[in-house]
């Protein structure tokens, strides 16, 4: 019998039924892939959708023999923004109160990682359908954050995606909370001479925001005759992503968590964000949470 700890996949949550279904499918995919080495795999959201993190942790705790045991929590987020740095750890801290004796190791966010860049490049090739890369400008469209470190990471991903792959150019943009916007990035590509643009939504699973990327890209294309704008598929529940999750799982077990804290707004006073330094982190409200221990959990997290 495996002595490895169970794996908890933590998602943000979405109002998209398709996004919830894809997350659930991915949890099952990871579970099937790890059957011989991980005793249990479950997943939950911190807000907006079921199952909640509380539900997933309760299921893992119920499967443990001999009392509570450690778990490994891997955040299904692409950048180390507020969700990965604060909201998810706060939700997990609340579960420690609800399940005395429980402990956890916390994995790194998924990106940036060469595996993700290769997946995005494959989605771009599919969208190109044989058209040459050298005549194609790529626009990487991400969620956007109030965390400047996370937004800077997207710029890095766009640059790494461009390097060595032969695209005519690569821009980055955000669909919410940060600039440049999707139309602004598309306009910049046009000013740089683009006649063919592939928009690559940098999202794991379907949701409201990736749908908005598609809508804004189509609207821009409709206003620019002669411009070829295509939107790629999402990263999705692929084997490569499952392998990356297991890499993060192994890192957490091995203690090799190389998080970059040099530009973290919660540790360093960055211009315009100094009020974030040392800010207490509290979990999101989830309507399915059991509130019997809410007061005790709040005391722990405050």
């Amino acid at each position: 019998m495996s002595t490895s700890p169970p794996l908890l996949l933590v998602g943000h949550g979405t109002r998209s039924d398709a996004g919830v279904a894809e997350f659930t499918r991915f949890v099952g995919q990871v579970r099937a892939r790890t059957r011989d080495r991980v005793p249990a795999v479950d997943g939950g959201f911190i807000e907006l959708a079921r199952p909640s993190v509380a539900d997933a942790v309760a299921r893992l705790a119920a499967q443990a023999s001999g009392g509570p045991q450690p778990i490994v929590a891997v955040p299904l987020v692409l950048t180390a923004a507020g969700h990965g740095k604060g909201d998810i750890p706060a939700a997990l801290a609340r579960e420690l109160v609800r399940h005395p004796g429980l402990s956890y190791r916390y994995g790194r966010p998924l990106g940036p990682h060469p595996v993700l860049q290769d997946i995005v490049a494959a989605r771009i090739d599919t969208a190109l359908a044989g058209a040459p890369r050298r005549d194609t400008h790529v626009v990487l469209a991400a969620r956007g954050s109030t965390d400047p470190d996370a937004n800077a990471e997207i710029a890095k991903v766009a640059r790494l995606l461009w390097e060595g792959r032969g695209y005519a150019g690569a821009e980055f943009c955000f669909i919410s909370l940060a600039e440049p916007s999707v139309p602004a990035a598309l306009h910049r590509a046009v000013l740089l001479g683009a006649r063919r643009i592939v928009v690559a939504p940098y999202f794991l699973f379907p949701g409201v925001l990736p749908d908005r990327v598609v809508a804004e890209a189509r609207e821009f294309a409709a206003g620019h005759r002669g411009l070829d704008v295509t939107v790629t598929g999402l990263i999705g529940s692929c084997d490569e992503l499952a392998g990356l999750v297991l890499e993060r799982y192994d890192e957490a077990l091995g203690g090799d968590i190389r998080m970059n804290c040099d530009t973290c707004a919660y540790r360093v006073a960055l211009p315009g964000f100094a009020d974030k330094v040392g800010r207490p982190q509290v979990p999101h409200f989830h309507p399915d949470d059991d509130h019997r221990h809410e007061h005790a959990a709040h005391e722990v997290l405050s």
Side-chain angles (χ1 to χ4, degrees):
M1 185 174 180
S2 174
T3 57
S4 299
L7 169 59
L8 173 67
L9 303 179
V10 186
H12 172 255
T14 176
R15 293 185 175 89
S16 164
D17 291 341
V20 173
E22 186 84 355
F23 174 88
T24 303
R25 185 160 47 249
F26 183 66
V27 172
Q29 185 174 356
V30 174
R31 183 182 296 120
R33 180 166 177 157
T34 61
R35 185 166 288 124
D36 295 333
R37 54 175 295 208
V38 180
V41 177
D42 213 318
F45 299 110
I46 57 173
E47 64 171 345
L48 299 178
R50 299 174 178 174
S52 67
V53 167
D55 290 337
V57 171
R59 287 192 294 264
L60 291 176
Q63 296 177 48
S65 58
Q69 60 178 308
I71 61 173
V72 172
V74 173
L76 290 188
V77 295
L78 291 170
T79 62
H83 296 314
K85 292 177 181 178
D87 300 330
I88 294 175
L92 293 171
R94 182 169 56 189
E95 296 313 306
L96 299 184
V97 176
R98 291 171 169 167
H99 302 277
L102 180 73
S103 62
Y104 73 90
R105 292 176 178 268
Y106 190 49
R108 276 197 289 166
L110 300 178
H113 195 285
V115 164
L116 294 171
Q117 289 142 29
D118 288 344
I119 295 172
V120 173
R123 302 291 179 266
I124 294 170
D125 282 343
T126 298
L128 285 174
R133 288 182 174 185
R134 67 179 178 275
D135 298 329
T136 301
H137 287 249
V138 172
V139 171
L140 185 75
R143 179 183 186 274
S145 173
T146 57
D147 187 319
D149 186 39
N151 293 332
E153 209 164 81
I154 298 303
K156 178 178 180 178
V157 171
R159 181 70 201 190
L160 289 172
L161 187 65
W162 186 12
E163 292 280 357
R165 288 189 170 88
Y167 303 121
E171 305 294 329
F172 65 92
C173 61
F174 306 101
I175 195 60
S176 66
L177 300 175
E179 296 291 339
S181 66
V182 173
L186 288 167
H187 181 63
R188 176 176 170 81
V190 170
L191 292 177
L192 291 172
R195 304 310 303 159
R196 179 190 300 113
I197 302 174
V198 174
V199 179
Y202 193 54
F203 292 84
L204 293 175
F205 307 131
V208 173
L209 295 182
D211 288 347
R212 194 182 300 168
V213 171
V214 174
E216 292 192 5
R218 288 176 176 171
E219 182 179 358
F220 185 90
H224 293 75
R225 298 182 63 181
L227 180 66
D228 180 4
V229 179
T230 308
V231 182
T232 74
L234 305 179
I235 291 170
S237 55
C238 56
D239 287 339
E240 295 87 349
L241 183 63
L244 177 54
V245 166
L246 293 181
E247 183 175 325
R248 294 297 190 238
Y249 173 88
D250 289 337
E251 281 181 350
L253 285 180
D256 185 18
I257 307 296
R258 293 165 290 175
M259 188 78 81
N260 173 32
C261 296
D262 292 339
T263 51
C264 175
Y266 297 103
R267 296 174 180 267
V268 180
L270 299 176
F273 299 90
D275 61 310
K276 287 193 172 189
V277 176
R279 180 184 296 176
Q281 300 299 311
V282 296
H284 280 301
F285 168 76
H286 196 291
D288 288 344
D289 276 343
D290 181 352
H291 298 292
R292 289 174 296 174
H293 304 299
E294 286 300 303
H295 179 71
H298 179 76
E299 291 299 318
V300 167
L301 299 173
S302 297

